[in-house]
Amino acid sequence: MRSAPGLDVRSNALSAAVLVEPPLSLYVHMPWCVRKCPYCDFNSYTAPAQVPQRAYIDALIADLEHDRDLVRGRPIVSIFFGGGTPSLFAPEEIARFLTAVQDLVEVAPDAEVTLEANPGSVERGLFREYRAAGINRISLGAQTFNPQHLRRLGRIHGPAEIANAVDEIVRSGIENFNLDIMYALPEQSVIEALADLDAALALAPTHISHYQLTLEPGTVFYHRPPPLPDSDTAWEMQQRCQERLACAGYLQYEVSAYARDAYRCAHNLNYWRFGDYLGLGAGAHGKITRAAEQMVLRTVRVRQPRVYLQRAPEMRLDERRRVAREELPFEFMLNVLRLHEGFDELLFESRTGVSFREVAPIMEKARVLGLLECVSQRTWRPTELGRRFLNDLLTLFLEGPKNVIQ
Amino acid sequence: MNLIRNFSIIAHVDHGKSTLADRFIQLCGGLQQREMEDQVLDSMALERERGITIKAQSVSLNYRARDGQVYELNLIDTPGHVDFSYEVSRSLAACEGALLVVDAAQGVEAQSVANCYTAIEQGLEVVPVLNKIDLPSADPERVIHEIEEIIGIEAKDALRVSAKTGENVPELLEELIRRIPPPKGDPDAPLQALIIDSWFDNYVGVVSLVRVMNGALHKGAKIRVWSTGRTYTVDKLGKFTPKSVETEALTTGEVGFVIAGIKDIDGAPVGDTITLDNKPCSAPLAGFKQVQPRVFAGLFPVRSDDYEAFRDALAKLKLNDSALHYEPEVSAALGYGFRCGFLGLLHMDIVQERLEREYDLELITSAPTVVYEVVKTDGSTLYVDNPAKLPPQNEIEDLREPIITANILVPPQHVGGVIKLCTEKRGRQTKMQYLGSQVSLQYEMPLAEVVLDFFDRLKSVSRGFASFDYEFKCFESAPLVKLDILINGERVDALSVIVHKDNAYQRGRELVDKLQELIPRQMFEVAVQAAIGNHVIARATVKALRKNVTAKCYGGDVTRKRKLLEKQKEGKKRMKQLGTVEIPQEAFLAVLQVGKEKGS
C-alpha cells in the first residue's frame, strides 16, 4: 500500500537504518564421517571406501570462484571446516584448498582457521601437517570420556584416543583447541556428567562446547528415543557443570560455549553477531549482505554429496533468496540473543537495516517479562531468565516488527 | 391430496434410518445411482462424521404404487439423539404418520420410546418396522414382544426389512401408503403454512421448509410471517427430491421450501405460521412449545479481535437452531464472550465444532453447568446459569437444583452397574420393571450429575447396551456450594463450579490434581488451589520449567529454528494467558474429566 504523502517523512525516519556489510567468514562443509552417529542431524554421510578428496576440493574451489563476485573486496576473517569429519581429508588437500582461497580472495592475516576433527580419525603426526597447511584451531568431537556412553552414542573412539588426539594437537603447536562435550546422555548420572567435564578440563583446552544432548528430527535417536535423564536431572547437570567451568576459568559467552581468556571462537561469534559467511560444499548455507542493494541474501548448496559433485558450480545452489526485511529482526535475535554480551542498537540497525524503533515495543515487552535487560544506554542483553527461556524470548519476535509502514 | 403421505422415521442413532431413507430415494428414482452418496439425508459434514442426524431435513419422492397411482411421499427426517427431542417434535408436527424403525437384533432403545410417545401424543399413526433382518443375530420375535411391552403398540404384523439388502423395502412403501392417512386440510381456506425449519443460505438468504396445512402458496404471492407481521414476496418455491426442484405452487398437505428474500435472520422463526398478506388466516397454527436450554457454558474467542465474527456466527447458527440460546458474558479471566444455552452436551459439542469448522473461530469453552434456582434472603428468586454469578452464601435462603426424570432401558445382566452409577449420581429410583429381555429403570436425578459424564459412564457400565432418555421434572433444594479455583492466588471465574457439599472436598482435590496435570510446566511455578469461600480445601503446584532453549544454533539453522519456534508458538495459540500463566483449553473442561478414570 502506498502511504499518504503526509506520512512519507515519518516512514523515512523509521526506515532510516542502513544495512552495512559485516565481517565475512567462510564455512566449508565436508560431508563424510567414518560412521553416522545416531544423534547427529547434520548433513553427513557414511564415507565411501575412497573419499573423492581431490574432486571434492576441486568442487570447493570452483564454489569459491563462483561466489567471490558476491563479496569482492571484503576480507575473510575466519574459516571453518565443519562436517561430517573434515579430518578425513588429507592435509595436502586442505593445503591445496587454503592456497586457492588465498589466491581468490583476501584473507585477514590474523584469521582464525578451524578444522573439526574426531578422535580416532587422525593418525600420528597429522596435526603438524594441518598446521603447516594453515589450520590454527582444532575443534575435537570428544563428546564423553565414558566408554559406555561413547558406545551408546555410536562413537568410534575410546577415551584413550581423545587424550592421544589432544596430545598430538598440542605437540603440533596448535595451542587453540576446543573440546565438544555432551551431557544428559542416555542413563547418565550427575556424577558421570561432572566426571566427563573434569576429564575435559584436565586436557586444558582453550574452549569447551558443552551441549545438552537433544533428540533432533531425522535421527535414529528421535525415532527410537534412548532413556534420557529427566529435565530436573539435566538441569542439575548443567548447573553443576557451569559452576565447575567457571571455577576453572572458562567463561560462558553463549548458550553452550565456554572459553578461557580471549579464546572465544571468532567464527561462531560472527554467526551469532549476525555476520556474513560464504558456505561452500554440499549442503552449506551462506548469508551475504549486499550494501549496494540494501539486502541480505541466503544461499544453500545441494545437500547430497553425489549430486553436488555431479553438478556444475552454478547449478549447485539449491536456494538463493533475498531475506524479507520483516524477517531480519527475528533472524538477528535468533543469533545475537544466544550471546551473554547481548548487542547494542547500532549493531541491530546496521545488520538488519531496520530501525530499532520498530522492535522497541517487543524489546520493552520482553523487558517487562524479565527476559531482557538494558544494561547501558543502547545495549541490551538477555537476563538469566531470558537465557534459560531463550525460545520463549525469541517467540516474541516472531510477531514481526510492529508499526511497519510500507 | 389423497395421494400425499407425510411421514417421519423414528429410530435410534444407528438403527439404520439413513440407510432406509436412501433405499426409498433409490426405489423412487430420486437420484441416479452415481448421485447416491451414502446417506444423502445427513447432509452436514458433521452429521456424516458422527453418523447422527442433527437438523430436520426433508425429501419429496414420487412413488408409483401397485394400485397404479403415483403418490407423493414426503419424508421429514428426525434426529435420533436425546439432546434433540425438540427437533423431533417439530418434524412430527408436519406429519400424519411415522415409521418406528427398530433394530431386530438390538431391540427397543429409550430414545425411540420417547420419540414414539411424542408421535402418539401428536396423533400420528405409528407403523412399527423391524430392520437389519439380515443380521444373524436378528431376533424379530423377541423385538416384537419388546415393542408391544415397552411402547404398547401392536407389532405382531410389523414388516421385517433389511435396508441394507433392500429386502421387503418395496412392501414397506406399500404398507406406508395403506396405513398412514393422507393429509387433511381445506384447500380453499386462507393459507396456513407451518415453518418446520429455516436456514441461511449465502446466496438467496433465508430458506424455509414449510408444510402447507390449509390453502395454497403460489410463486409471486405476497406472504406475511405471523409473529413479526412482516411481509415478503415469494421468489421461489420448490421441493427436495432430494435435489431441489422448483415448483409454481405448494398446495394443502404438501411439504416444500420457500425463498422470499428474507435477509434478516430472525425473519422466519421455526414454528411460526406463514399466511397471505391479502387474505390472512384468522389464527396462527399451534406451533411448538418454546424449548428450554438445560446446559449452559461460556464460549470465548481465543483472540479478542474475533469477538465480532463470533457474534455474527452465533446469530447465523441460531437461525438454523432455535434451541441455541446466547447472551453476552464478560469473564475476568477470559474476556468478552457469550453465555450459551444448549439442549445437552452433544448439542454443545456440535455447536462448538460448527463454530470452529464453518466459521474458523478458535474458542475456549468453560465447564458446562445447569441452571439453579436461588431464593434470596430478601425473598426474591433468581435463576443462575453461571457459577460465577451465584450470590454470596449469606444472601442465599435456598439453593435449588434441576431434577430430571431419567428413563433407562438396559439388559438384565447390566442392571447392577447401572443402578450403582445412578446411586453414585445422587439418583433416586422410582420404578424398576422387567420387560422380556430388557429392564426399564426410572430415576429422579440431579441434571448437574447427568451433564457431567453420565452418558459416557452409562455406556461403559452397560457395554453400550443401556439407552437413556430424560425430561425435566422440577427444582429441588440441595446442600450445594460454590467451589472456586485460584491460579496463583487469583480466582478464575470461568473455573468455578457448583457442587454438592458432600462431594466438595473430593471434587476440589480431583479438580486441582487434574489442573496440575493439564497446565504445562512453564517459566514460573503455578499454584493451583480449590476454595469454598475463603477456605482453601486443596492445593497443588505446577513446577516451573527449568529452561526452554535450543542447545545448538549455527549458520545453517535459521529456517529450521524458525519453524521449531513457530510450532512452539502454534501450540500456545489455544492457551489463554492469565497474568503470566498460560492455561490450555482442556483446563477449562477439567471438571468434565475428573472422576472418569474411576468409572469403569
Side-chain angles (χ1 to χ4, degrees), chain A residues 27-32 43 45 50-64 81-86 89 93-94 96-97 279-284 301-310 316:
Chain A
Y27 177 73
V28 186
H29 193 73
M30 321 293 253
W32 290 289
N43 183 34
Y45 304 85
Q50 285 295 310
V51 173
Q53 296 194 28
R54 194 165 181 83
Y56 196 78
I57 296 291
D58 285 346
L60 292 175
I61 294 170
D63 278 351
L64 183 58
F81 293 91
T85 307
F89 278 71
E93 289 297 335
I94 300 292
R96 188 160 71 85
F97 175 74
L280 312 183
R301 287 198 150 80
V302 59
R303 283 173 69 87
Q304 283 280 342
R306 192 175 42 80
V307 181
Y308 171 83
L309 283 170
Q310 278 166 0
R316 289 191 196 124

Side-chain angles (χ1 to χ4, degrees), chain A residues 41 183 211-212 231-232 235 238 255-256 268 271-272 277 285 298 321 327 330-331 334 338 371 385 388-392 394-395 398-399, chain B residues 521-524 543-562 564-569 572 580 582:
Chain A
D41 69 330
Y183 68 97
Y211 300 107
Q212 176 169 352
S231 64
D232 290 338
W235 176 244
Q238 179 182 330
V255 175
S256 307
N268 287 341
Y271 287 144
W272 295 325
Y277 44 96
H285 291 241
R298 285 201 178 273
R321 64 180 176 91
E327 288 182 18
F330 168 78
E331 292 195 357
L334 177 69
R338 299 184 69 81
L371 299 168
L385 186 72
R388 276 199 289 132
F389 292 94
L390 185 57
N391 285 350
D392 299 82
L394 292 172
T395 309
L398 278 177
E399 322 257 3
Chain B
R521 288 175 72 173
Q522 35 204 284
M523 229 183 285
F524 302 102
K543 279 201 293 180
L545 199 64
R546 299 301 194 172
K547 60 175 181 177
N548 177 19
V549 48
T550 356
K552 293 185 185 187
C553 181
Y554 297 115
D557 294 331
V558 176
T559 314
R560 259 175 38 193
K561 293 289 186 287
R562 174 188 276 272
L564 185 99
L565 290 170
E566 275 167 353
K567 233 167 107 183
Q568 276 197 15
K569 196 177 168 185
K572 287 184 178 178
T580 57
E582 276 157 344

Side-chain angles (χ1 to χ4, degrees), chain A residues 160-224:
Chain A
E161 270 103 343
I162 305 173
N164 285 343
V166 169
D167 192 45
E168 284 285 313
I169 293 165
V170 173
R171 281 207 284 168
S172 75
I174 300 177
E175 55 170 18
N176 189 6
F177 70 98
N178 163 64
L179 293 181
D180 271 354
I181 302 292
M182 291 200 292
Y183 68 97
L185 303 178
E187 292 172 291
Q188 190 182 38
S189 68
V190 177
I191 301 297
E192 287 169 327
L194 283 165
D196 269 347
L197 189 60
D198 285 340
L201 290 170
L203 297 173
T206 50
H207 191 285
I208 290 180
S209 295
H210 193 244
Y211 300 107
Q212 176 169 352
L213 171 63
T214 40
L215 306 183
E216 300 293 342
T219 63
V220 174
F221 274 6
Y222 188 78
H223 294 286
R224 270 177 275 135

